[in-house]
Amino acid sequence: MNKELDIAALESVSFAKNYNSYVYGLILQNIKSHEIMDFGAGYGSFSGYLKDIGKKVVTVEVNEHAIKKLNQLNLVNFKNLKDLPEKYGTIVSLNVLEHIDDDLGTLKELLNYLKSDGRIILYLPSSKLIWSELDELVNHKRRYSRKLIKELSRNSDLKIDKIFSVDFVGWLTVLVSKVLRINLDFNKNRIIFYDRTSSSPFT
């Protein structure tokens, strides 16, 4: 992956304050444990949010630029899953699995660090219909349909509790841009404008 684009993608997430607030609240409703592992934590926006509300959080991140941000937030980070000291009641992974060649293998590996009554929460880009040049620029391997998620579940022995979609406005924006052949990028001002003006909630 182009490192500059990787960093741009990480930074773009931090600009969308309203979007993040809604998504984080939605995910929090599905977290039942105190101990949480954030796999592919990026700049630590969500991990920092969890830490601030009193959760015990560890992160797993390999991007050196992102790790510096995690250190600034005083978050405990591991570069390798094998170094984790314990199992966790909740594992969250936001916008990560789509970058990994072997998503099934990664999911199976994550299960080794999940308590028997634990829960894995995944936040993934949906719909192959809106696959665009932007996906390729940030090295997405795939977008996830409900069918694909169910296949991952069957092959990894994970039981699906629920699947739901968010940000219809964003999905429609990308679809229209694709149809009109408008190139999207990680423009800070555009992201902030969208975040402030799109309808809420993002469903």
Side-chain angles (χ1 to χ4, degrees):
M1 179 187 293
N2 183 302
K3 289 185 178 180
E4 291 184 1
L5 286 169
D6 189 14
I7 291 171
L10 288 172
E11 290 181 340
S12 69
V13 174
S14 67
F15 298 147
K17 303 297 184 183
N18 293 330
Y19 178 82
N20 287 342
S21 178
Y22 172 72
V23 172
Y24 294 173
L26 194 62
I27 293 174
L28 184 61
Q29 293 175 22
N30 294 279
I31 292 178
K32 307 302 180 184
S33 68
H34 179 63
E35 297 84 12
I36 302 164
M37 184 250 283
D38 188 352
F39 178 73
Y43 278 5
S45 298
F46 186 56
S47 295
Y49 167 80
L50 292 173
K51 181 173 177 284
D52 287 344
I53 62 173
K55 297 290 186 180
K56 180 181 177 182
V57 189
V58 300
T59 64
V60 177
E61 179 57 62
V62 297
N63 182 291
E64 293 296 339
H65 190 75
I67 290 173
K68 290 179 182 178
K69 298 284 187 179
L70 295 174
N71 290 338
Q72 291 172 7
L73 294 173
N74 294 317
L75 290 163
V76 178
N77 182 68
F78 296 89
K79 288 187 176 181
N80 196 313
L81 285 172
K82 295 178 181 178
D83 295 329
L84 290 167
E86 59 182 320
K87 294 188 176 184
Y88 301 88
T90 304
I91 296 175
V92 296
S93 187
L94 314 184
N95 293 316
V96 176
L97 215 58
E98 66 272 15
H99 294 279
I100 298 174
D101 287 316
D102 185 9
D103 55 346
L104 176 59
T106 298
L107 204 52
K108 288 180 176 179
E109 189 173 5
L110 287 174
L111 279 172
N112 294 326
Y113 302 92
L114 185 70
K115 291 182 178 179
S116 58
D117 60 345
R119 175 177 290 182
I120 293 180
I121 300 174
L122 303 173
Y123 189 71
L124 306 165
S126 67
S127 183
K128 183 69 173 178
L129 178 64
I130 62 168
W131 182 272
S132 69
E133 183 180 347
L134 195 59
D135 289 285
E136 297 175 7
L137 285 174
V138 297
N139 202 31
H140 280 179
K141 307 300 181 183
R142 67 198 70 81
R143 282 179 166 270
Y144 287 86
S145 64
R146 290 178 180 246
K147 179 181 178 181
L148 182 55
I149 292 173
K150 290 175 181 178
E151 287 179 2
L152 279 176
S153 171
R154 287 194 300 270
N155 293 328
S156 63
D157 294 326
L158 271 173
K159 179 183 177 182
I160 294 177
D161 183 37
K162 65 179 74 172
I163 301 176
F164 50 86
S165 302
V166 301
D167 196 12
F168 174 73
V169 174
W171 180 90
L172 186 60
T173 299
V174 176
L175 179 61
V176 171
S177 298
K178 182 178 180 179
V179 171
L180 297 180
R181 298 185 178 181
I182 299 173
N183 291 326
L184 298 177
D185 57 21
F186 295 110
N187 181 284
K188 177 180 178 180
N189 292 330
R190 289 179 187 172
I191 293 168
I192 292 175
F193 176 79
Y194 165 75
D195 187 53
R196 289 177 177 174
T197 59
S198 59
S199 58
S200 185
F202 296 83
T203 54

